[in-house]
Each structure stands twice: as C-alpha cells, then as structure tokens.
Amino acid sequence: MQIFLWILIFFGTFAIMEFNAWFTHKYIMHGFLWSLHKDHHHKDHKSWFERNDAFFIFYAVISMTCFYLWSYEDIWYCLPLGLGILAYGIAYFTVHDIFIHQRFKIFRNANNWYAKGVRRAHKMHHKHLGKEDGECFGMLVVPFKYFKK
C-alpha cells in the first residue's frame, strides 16, 4: 500500500508543480519580482546567465529540504515530494531552457504536435515584452488552441 501512496504523491507533486509554475510565473515573476524576470523577456546583458535563473533556487531548496526530512527525520512521504519537485524542475529545464530557448543546442529538430504547440504558446508569451498583458504562463500544459495548425 505504501508504494501506491509513494507513486501517487510523486505524480501528484509533479502535476501540482505545473500549477505552481503557472501561478509563480503569472503573479510573482510578472508581479512584484518582475525586476528578476524582465531580462528573460528582453536581454539587457551579455551573460549566458539571466537574473531570471534565480527562481529555480526557491524550488531547489524546497526539494532539498524534503530530502533532508526524509533522510534525517524519517518522514517517508518527503522522498516522493522531493523527487516530484526535482522531476518537474528537470522537465522544466529541458523544455524551457534547452528545447524552447536553445541554451544548449540539442532538441533543435523536435517537430511533433506537442513540441510545436509548446513552442507556439511560449512564443505568444514572449510577444509581450512588459509585465502586463501576458498570456500563456504555463510550461508543460498549454491551451489547446496552440496545438491547432
């Protein structure tokens, strides 16, 4: 029974992280912490790194705290929580930074329906250079209209 709960917590955490990413992106990154996110919409520097990269630290600390609580405090459900957050972070980095923004030159030829839809949605998001009037703040789940031709 515990393995079923472990799997449920892992996948539930992964799914909730998509909502967290949407919420954080819409209300925090495009809100009171726009000063950290704006260089992602229009580069004002020559560095490979962006101020926007600091946002991953928040969820990384939460994930590491879960691993600590599992390892040293024997709170079993913290392991699938921490792994779910970590897995979402890896997926986000792969889709957003590698696939969409090509920070590493791989996955350039991915051209299936999902890849095209995610690219279209993200392109529409970046069409807005300011913090207002944005659209499509999600990452892995985007509105169906972006999957149509």
Side-chain angles (χ1 to χ4, degrees), residues 2-17:
Q2 189 168 344
I3 190 70
F4 174 75
L5 285 174
W6 195 99
I7 292 168
L8 186 66
I9 292 169
F10 172 82
F11 284 111
T13 300
F14 188 94
I16 289 168
M17 285 302 296

Side-chain angles (χ1 to χ4, degrees), residues 84-104:
I85 295 167
L86 173 63
Y88 186 83
I90 292 168
Y92 187 96
F93 179 76
T94 302
V95 170
H96 183 262
D97 290 310
I98 296 176
F99 172 67
I100 292 173
H101 288 289
Q102 289 292 300
R103 289 176 90 171
F104 299 100

Side-chain angles (χ1 to χ4, degrees), residues 10-78:
F10 172 82
F11 284 111
T13 300
F14 188 94
I16 289 168
M17 285 302 296
E18 175 67 10
F19 170 77
N20 284 342
W22 172 86
F23 182 89
T24 302
H25 192 182
K26 183 169 181 154
Y27 295 107
I28 296 174
M29 293 177 178
H30 281 257
F32 66 94
L33 288 180
W34 174 250
S35 61
L36 288 177
H37 184 61
K38 70 181 174 183
D39 73 335
H40 181 64
H41 282 265
H42 43 89
K43 285 201 182 272
D44 60 357
H45 56 83
K46 296 193 186 296
S47 173
W48 184 82
F49 290 101
E50 301 174 348
R51 288 182 297 276
N52 182 66
D53 294 334
F55 285 106
F56 93 90
I57 294 169
F58 175 74
Y59 288 112
V61 168
I62 293 173
S63 183
M64 289 186 295
T65 301
C66 287
F67 294 140
Y68 172 84
L69 291 171
W70 166 72
S71 183
Y72 294 103
E73 302 298 326
D74 201 29
I75 303 173
W76 72 268
Y77 57 84
C78 285

